[in-house]
Amino acid sequence: MHKIPSVPVVITEIIEESPSLRTFVFSRRFPAEPGQFCMVWVPGTDEIPMAFSAQNAITVQKVGEATEALFALSPGDEIGIKGPLGNGFTPSGRTLAVAGGVGAAPLRLLATSGAADDFILGARTADELLFPGELSGCTNLQCATDDGTSGHHGFVTDLLRAADPSSYDTICVCGPEVMMNAVLSILCEAGCPEKGQFSLHRYMKCGVGICGSCCIDPTGLRVCRDGPVFTGDVIIDSEFGSYARDASGRRKSV
């Protein structure tokens, strides 16, 4: 198996996207395709998987010890990047992107590369919408917020139904798994689950397919090597939408 080394990079800029979301821009560009990820080594803390939000950036939500350590860093500090890893989105024909919360990070590259004809972006409130200005300049953007402070008052699934998912060739999705599972249900109703490409998040130790910590039931597919992007017809009868596993391997509801 080809070993990908961790490369030290210098943080050149930190952009506060919201109180809990920051984009870390670093000194080196990586040949990442939309949807691919990297293992980020935070000195003295841990190595964690993060999607590329640009070829020289990751966008991070503060949710645990490693991300808190990232948020404590400043421009000029070093982190380690191992990647790009995994398989990304493979859009073809008329393409729709559907993002919820920090799930907009891996879909940003899809839009900025010109591959997303339309983009549905959701968040709890207007302040938590990721990259709305940038996205509106490179794709046809619609927004949805839970509290109605921007765009549609409701969920991204409301806008998806109105958009007629059967009219698209590819629908690329990333966000909370409950939201992604709702999108898959809509595609099943429309008779086209295979059009959906879903970016899964699972606990990972190695990121290169060795440890098996990110395998999904019942197929044993590894999220880090066989994914993180899977088509809807592949995951429809899996654990997706029901549970994942923590660091000890115990099931936890998503």
Side-chain angles (χ1 to χ4, degrees), residues 74-94:
S74 303
D77 289 335
E78 282 193 353
I79 56 176
I81 299 291
K82 180 166 64 180
L85 302 171
N87 300 310
F89 297 105
T90 54
S92 63
R94 187 169 182 240

Side-chain angles (χ1 to χ4, degrees), residues 24-240:
F24 294 81
V25 183
F26 33 80
S27 56
R28 176 169 173 166
R29 300 182 73 87
F30 294 81
E33 298 294 329
Q36 287 189 296
F37 72 99
C38 56
M39 295 298 290
V40 181
W41 176 63
V42 187
T45 307
D46 202 357
E47 189 177 54
I48 53 175
M50 288 285 168
F52 284 98
S53 57
Q55 290 185 320
N56 63 336
I58 53 174
T59 299
V60 180
Q61 185 173 31
K62 184 163 66 171
V63 293
E65 181 183 2
T67 52
E68 285 180 5
L70 261 176
F71 270 53
L73 299 179
S74 303
D77 289 335
E78 282 193 353
I79 56 176
I81 299 291
K82 180 166 64 180
L85 302 171
N87 300 310
F89 297 105
T90 54
S92 63
R94 187 169 182 240
T95 297
L96 169 67
V98 183
V102 75
L107 289 167
R108 179 192 191 187
L109 266 172
L110 193 75
T112 56
S113 68
D117 298 283
D118 300 308
F119 201 115
I120 297 174
L121 175 66
R124 289 180 297 182
T125 187
D127 290 343
E128 295 181 3
L129 288 169
L130 264 180
F131 321 124
E134 180 181 35
L135 293 174
S136 63
C138 55
T139 184
N140 177 31
L141 178 68
Q142 293 186 79
C143 294
T145 49
D146 294 357
D147 63 2
T149 49
S150 180
H152 172 70
H153 186 179
F155 304 125
V156 294
T157 47
D158 302 331
L159 295 178
L160 175 62
R161 289 185 187 276
D164 182 13
S166 64
S167 67
Y168 290 93
D169 300 295
T170 311
I171 300 174
C172 301
V173 191
C174 189
E177 195 154 318
V178 171
M179 178 275 280
M180 292 199 293
N181 192 46
V183 170
L184 179 56
S185 294
I186 292 172
L187 298 188
C188 289
E189 291 170 12
C192 54
E194 73 285 349
K195 290 185 179 183
Q197 298 183 10
F198 298 84
S199 178
L200 272 64
H201 176 78
R202 288 294 183 270
Y203 177 80
M204 294 180 189
K205 293 179 181 177
C206 72
V208 292
I210 298 173
C211 72
S213 63
C214 65
C215 289
I216 57 176
D217 296 336
T219 59
L221 289 169
R222 300 161 298 175
V223 172
C224 68
R225 291 282 290 185
D226 303 307
V229 178
F230 298 92
T231 55
D233 55 326
V234 170
I235 57 173
I236 192 170
D237 293 320
S238 74
E239 67 185 47
F240 177 72

